[in-house]
């Protein structure tokens, strides 16, 4: 570990993924290096912010005790809560954003199971909301959402990400007020798209202008359409799909009926998919329908962020600038954990990264931080590490299809609940897909 006043600046074993030199470069590039050596050097404050995402249940003084608990005998600062708050304001959000921009990416090798489909990197686009404190400062930028049941009790932030299916790492992320919709924020993610990708998106993103802009990046698209949307039939294919268009973009449309059979009975739904992959020989309709199921991996990534890490809690920061800082810190920590998990599963060829348990990695990272263990890598490179060994020892079974019906147990009040108000019951499921031929002449 580092010496002197820099000793508390670490993230346990995850420090190997975000070493001192990287943090120092982020501070230098963003002009946030301290002008004089303080009890709380800028590097230490960055690690404090990241460590706070591993321990959201305690305040920053509690996080400081986690960072210093195993450093007994060293001359350490004893900052007050006010001093920690001033240090966080001094750092701002830009070093955390710089780190996220450096670390983001698919973290998928050419043979990573679940990450590729017909040579295309599979990614998903979707949005979610994060709840933030109800303070006058926050309300100058972020608002409460209205609704039929009185709306939310807290202001919220809209977060959109591009997630790599398979590794569930973050390719890019943007966020802003909920007064702007997902399709308004989505164009800010387009610079991260490129040829060799296939983007999976829900029907909210099927706007002609947005699909045209995505196609212009060279990335392929597989998007769900509303079932009642009228699509011109320009040509028919033997697999049941047909050629159509979304504005100036030629697409192939697949109408399919998906039946899920569970111990609770059968549920059948109609899906209409549109794709820029026009060759029905190379990309059959049935395979496209199965591929679209992977879009749900982005929902799992949001569950990891909001449930496993945050535990449904409101963010700590009480100012707009602090919220930016905290969200980027959350994104960095999620990326570090997912990178460590992907590195571990890559040592066992043929192991799909989605078998790695996120909560296992998160708990192991917390333990290693409290112990101040594995901060400096051994001379012999170890891709697995303690966190990875915990992950490999607790690999989940091969992924199987599931359905999770939502059952509302009580009416939703006008104040947002601190805990979940919806029970989710999972059933083992089997799925049948039937491609429906387009009606008409």
């Amino acid at each position: 570990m580092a010496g002197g006043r820099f000793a508390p600046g670490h993230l346990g074993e995850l420090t190997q993924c975000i070493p001192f030199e990287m943090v120092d470069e982020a501070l230098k590039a963003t002009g946030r290096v301290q002008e004089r050596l303080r009890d709380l050097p800028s590097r230490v404050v960055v690690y404090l912010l990241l460590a706070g995402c591993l321990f959201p249940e305690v305040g920053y003084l509690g996080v400081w005790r986690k960072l210093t608990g195993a450093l007994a005998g060293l001359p350490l600062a004893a900052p007050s809560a006010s001093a920690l708050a001033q240090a966080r304001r001094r750092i701002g959000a830009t070093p955390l954003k710089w780190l996220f921009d450096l670390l983001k990416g698919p973290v998928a090798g050419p043979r990573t199971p679940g990450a590729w489909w017909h040579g295309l990197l599979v990614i998903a686009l979707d949005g979610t909301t994060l709840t933030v404190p109800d303070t006058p400062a926050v309300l100058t930028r972020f608002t409460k959402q209205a609704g039929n049941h009185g709306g939310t009790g807290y202001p919220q932030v809209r977060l959109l990400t591009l997630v790599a299916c398979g590794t569930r790492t973050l390719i890019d992320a943007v966020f802003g007020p909920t007064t702007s919709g997902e399709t308004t924020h989505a164009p800010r993610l387009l610079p991260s798209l490129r040829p060799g990708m296939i983007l999976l998106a829900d029907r909210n993103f099927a706007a002609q202008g947005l699909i045209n802009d995505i196609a212009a990046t060279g990335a392929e698209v597989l998007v769900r359409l509303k079932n009642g949307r009228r699509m011109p039939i320009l040509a028919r294919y033997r697999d049941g799909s047909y050629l159509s268009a979304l504005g100036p973009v030629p697409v192939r449309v697949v109408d399919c009926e998906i039946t899920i059979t569970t111990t609770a009975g059968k549920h059948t739904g109609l899906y209409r998919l549109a794709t820029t992959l026009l060759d029905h020989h190379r990309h059959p309709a049935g395979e496209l329908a199965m591929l679209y199921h992977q879009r749900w991996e982005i929902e799992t990534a949001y569950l990891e962020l909001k449930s496993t890490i945050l535990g449904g809690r409101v963010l700590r920061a009480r100012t707009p600038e602090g919220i930016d800082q905290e969200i980027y810190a959350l994104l960095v920590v999620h990326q570090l954990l997912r990178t460590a998990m992907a590195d571990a599963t890559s040592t066992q060829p043929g192991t799909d990264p989605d078998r790695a348990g996120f909560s296992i990695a998160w708990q192991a990272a917390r333990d290693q931080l409290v112990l101040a263990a594995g901060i400096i890598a051994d001379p012999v490179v170890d891709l697995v590490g303690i966190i990875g060994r915990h992950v490999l020892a607790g690999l989940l079974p091969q992924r199987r299809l599931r359905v999770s019906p939502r059952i509302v147990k009580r009416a939703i009040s006008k104040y947002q609940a601190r805990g979940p108000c919806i029970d989710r019951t999972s059933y083992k499921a089997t799925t049948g897909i039937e491609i429906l031929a387009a009606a008409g002449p």
Side-chain angles (χ1 to χ4, degrees):
M1 69 182 65
R5 295 173 179 174
F6 290 93
H10 69 88
L11 205 60
E13 190 178 80
L14 288 180
T15 313
Q16 296 182 32
C17 298
I18 186 167
F20 307 143
E21 297 81 3
M22 184 185 296
V23 175
D24 288 344
E25 185 60 29
L27 292 165
K28 180 180 177 181
T30 56
R32 291 296 189 271
V33 180
Q34 65 278 345
E35 295 181 1
R36 59 183 177 84
L37 189 58
R38 306 167 181 259
D39 286 341
L40 294 173
S42 297
R43 181 207 294 173
V44 173
V45 179
V46 171
Y47 282 113
L48 173 73
L49 289 162
L50 297 175
C53 300
L54 292 176
F55 298 94
E57 70 276 14
V58 299
Y60 280 109
L61 271 178
V63 177
W64 181 262
R65 287 191 285 270
K66 303 286 186 185
L67 287 170
T68 58
L71 307 181
L74 296 179
L76 302 173
S80 64
S82 176
L84 293 177
Q86 292 177 26
R88 298 196 308 275
R89 286 195 295 270
R90 186 179 77 241
I91 292 300
T94 51
L96 282 303
K97 182 181 186 303
W98 192 95
L99 288 169
F100 175 68
D101 288 339
L102 179 67
L103 293 167
K104 66 186 181 183
V107 195
R111 291 183 175 84
T112 301
W116 305 88
W117 184 81
H118 287 256
L120 298 170
L121 181 68
V122 182
I123 63 175
L125 165 66
D126 207 350
T128 190
T129 56
L130 300 175
T131 306
V132 295
D134 186 2
T135 67
V138 168
L139 288 171
T140 62
R141 181 177 170 196
F142 302 108
T143 60
K144 302 176 185 180
Q145 293 198 70
N148 295 331
H149 299 281
T152 59
Y154 290 92
Q156 293 187 318
V157 178
R158 192 177 304 284
L159 171 68
L160 261 73
T161 64
L162 290 172
V163 168
C165 299
T167 61
R168 296 180 193 169
T169 47
L170 300 170
I171 293 176
D172 206 350
V174 296
F175 54 89
T178 54
T179 48
S180 297
E182 292 179 345
T183 54
T184 301
H185 291 292
R188 297 163 55 195
L189 294 169
L190 299 190
S192 295
L193 299 179
R194 65 175 191 275
M197 293 178 169
I198 181 165
L199 175 69
L200 313 182
D202 203 356
R203 49 194 167 188
N204 185 45
F205 298 97
Q208 290 185 10
L210 181 58
I211 297 300
N212 183 48
D213 292 342
I214 294 173
T217 68
E220 304 294 348
V221 180
L222 179 60
V223 63
R224 186 180 178 186
L225 306 176
K226 293 181 179 179
N227 290 337
R229 186 167 181 172
R230 297 178 64 86
M231 299 293 294
I233 301 175
L234 306 180
R236 298 178 184 277
Y237 300 117
R238 296 185 65 180
D239 65 350
S241 63
Y242 58 92
L243 181 66
S244 189
L246 281 172
V249 180
V251 295
R252 216 168 104 232
V253 176
V254 178
D255 287 323
C256 52
E257 182 179 273
I258 299 178
T259 301
I260 300 176
T261 304
T262 74
T263 54
K266 291 185 178 182
H267 176 75
T268 299
L270 299 177
Y271 275 64
R272 171 168 287 181
L273 306 176
T275 180
T276 53
L277 297 171
L278 305 181
D279 189 338
H280 64 285
H281 296 292
R282 293 184 58 192
H283 309 109
E287 292 187 23
L288 288 167
M290 289 298 296
L291 171 65
Y292 186 75
H293 181 70
Q294 293 192 36
R295 192 196 71 81
W296 289 100
E297 296 205 22
I298 194 170
E299 305 289 354
T300 302
Y302 285 143
L303 183 68
E304 294 164 356
L305 190 68
K306 298 171 64 173
S307 182
T308 303
I309 294 181
L310 289 175
R313 295 178 179 85
V314 176
L315 298 188
R316 291 187 181 94
R318 302 178 69 81
T319 65
E321 296 78 11
I323 288 170
D324 290 350
Q325 183 186 68
E326 188 172 355
I327 291 176
Y328 279 120
L330 280 167
L331 296 175
V332 168
V333 168
H334 184 276
Q335 186 75 353
L336 293 174
L337 289 168
R338 271 291 164 188
T339 299
M341 295 162 68
D343 286 344
T345 55
S346 70
T347 64
Q348 295 190 357
T351 302
D352 195 319
D354 67 10
R355 293 184 59 198
F358 186 84
S359 60
I360 294 174
W362 182 66
Q363 291 290 354
R366 285 160 54 99
D367 293 342
Q368 294 303 296
L369 184 144
V370 171
L371 296 172
I375 295 173
I376 304 296
D378 293 330
V380 178
V381 176
D382 183 5
L383 278 178
V384 179
I386 299 297
I387 296 173
R389 278 188 273 280
H390 279 283
V391 168
L392 293 178
L395 286 177
L396 304 174
Q398 290 285 350
R399 183 176 61 184
R400 57 185 184 272
L401 294 173
R402 290 182 179 271
V403 58
S404 300
R406 297 185 176 186
I407 306 171
V408 178
K409 291 293 188 181
R410 59 181 172 83
I412 301 174
S413 73
K414 67 178 182 178
Y415 296 105
Q416 180 166 315
R418 295 298 292 270
C421 66
I422 292 174
D423 285 352
R424 296 170 183 260
T425 307
S426 295
Y427 303 90
K428 293 183 180 179
T430 58
T431 298
I433 297 176
E434 180 183 357
I435 305 302
L436 306 177

